[in-house]
Amino acid sequence: LTAESVRLSWALAFLRGASPLGWEGAIYLFNMCLPQLFEIKVFKEKNRSWFINESVQSGGLLHFATPMDPLFLLLHYLIKADKESFQGKFQPLDQVVMDDMFPDCILLLKLPELETLLRHVTEEKEIDKKKYYKYSKEKTLKWLEKKVNQTMAALKTNKVNVSARVQSTAFFSGGQVSSDKDEDYVRYAHGLISDYIPKQLSDDLSKHLKLPEPPASVQNPPSKKAKLSDEPVKAKEDYTKFNSKDFKTVKKNSKMTAAQKALAKVDKSGMKSIDSFFGAKHVKKK
Amino acid sequence: EESIDKRRVHLRRDALRDPAPVSLHLLPCEVPVNRPTPVGLFFTPAIRLGPDGLEASFRGHSLRGEEVVVPPGFMGYVMTEEKAEVLVGKQKDHEREEQELVEPPSVPQALERDFDHFMGATASFSSFTVWGLLAAAIHAQVSED
């Protein structure tokens, strides 16, 4: 929660709504005064608990409420409607954003600047002063490309390590660190954005960005390093697993864990990097 | 209809304003219960500032701790879900809450219905302590930069 949003808010609600991927619910925080949408991400790691004042709380979960672009959610409904019922027809928005499972989706219609938002992903028509919309894949891909570029810039600013290949090379050639390639950034950013869009659209975006299929060698190289650095950890009891290196090992894999993804997303919104967050001041002090 | 309503949890705005600061420790082990425990008796008095940061122990294991700060622009809250019967018991609070809900003109009609689940922030924090096992911290790989 940003301090600002709390100060200004009149009422806030946690909502369970359709996730952009459509296959499960997700929890959102909706500020009904502004109005503004936040997504709730959970940091979850094995073998963690909280001491909260004079009590213990198992699980050790850490929830983040970060601002979310409502267009990702709207897109979910636009695509669904276009596919299932209105194929290529213009429709008023209140007939598109409907959900028996998650009726709170109508809140999305209350968002300010909705029309400006929708221009990124739809074609619109006005008949008798009522707006009608139609999903446009071409416009959506252009919008997503901008999102990828924006995310890339954030990754660079936050110095997120995106390249599995560069890391493994650096490891084996004795600490020679070269700068990450743009292509790696694009792929990484594409992966982050893909968490918010359906698989089909993600594939289309990949083609649109002319992303080559990742060669097999890129998908696997961290395994050797991961094994090496895991060894001292495995030798201990289960709950000895905490150390900052766990995170670093994960980061070097091209596939991230859910928590890792969540934190990478959090990075974008101006938070500190995961290293500074969980770890390892002692590393920096060395 | 009822199950649909339950999907919505209302967060009390009042409670977000100035909740008491809380002392938070993130432990490197799973304690599979949620209940009061005398942290101030067995844990916090044993915390020492060693050469590598904070030191403490839990169940005979040495721990090393770091204070981590909530990211800039953010605020930490400990949230507690309130039971429906609590609301009935505190009728006055409930009424005030409803009033607040109706007040802003931007609240859509559908939201003026009662929320059946409420959540409040019982405490706030701007930093917490992450604990790791001492041995693990010593043998952790340092970063390359």
Side-chain angles (χ1 to χ4, degrees), chain B residues 47-50 52-56 63-67 129 131:
Chain B
I47 298 176
R48 299 275 178 272
L49 185 60
D52 289 320
L54 299 169
E55 287 167 13
L63 304 178
R64 200 191 58 79
E66 296 266 358
E67 189 83 356
T129 314
W131 293 96

Side-chain angles (χ1 to χ4, degrees), chain A residues 41-46 48-50 52 57-64 278, chain B residues 24 26 30 77 125 128:
Chain A
K41 288 279 166 190
V42 186
F43 173 79
K44 190 179 180 182
E45 204 193 15
K46 257 191 180 175
R48 285 279 184 199
S49 315
W50 285 107
I52 304 171
Q57 177 77 36
S58 69
L61 302 184
L62 192 52
H63 292 74
F64 293 94
F278 278 100
Chain B
L24 274 183
L26 186 55
E30 173 83 46
Y77 291 103
F125 59 95
F128 57 89

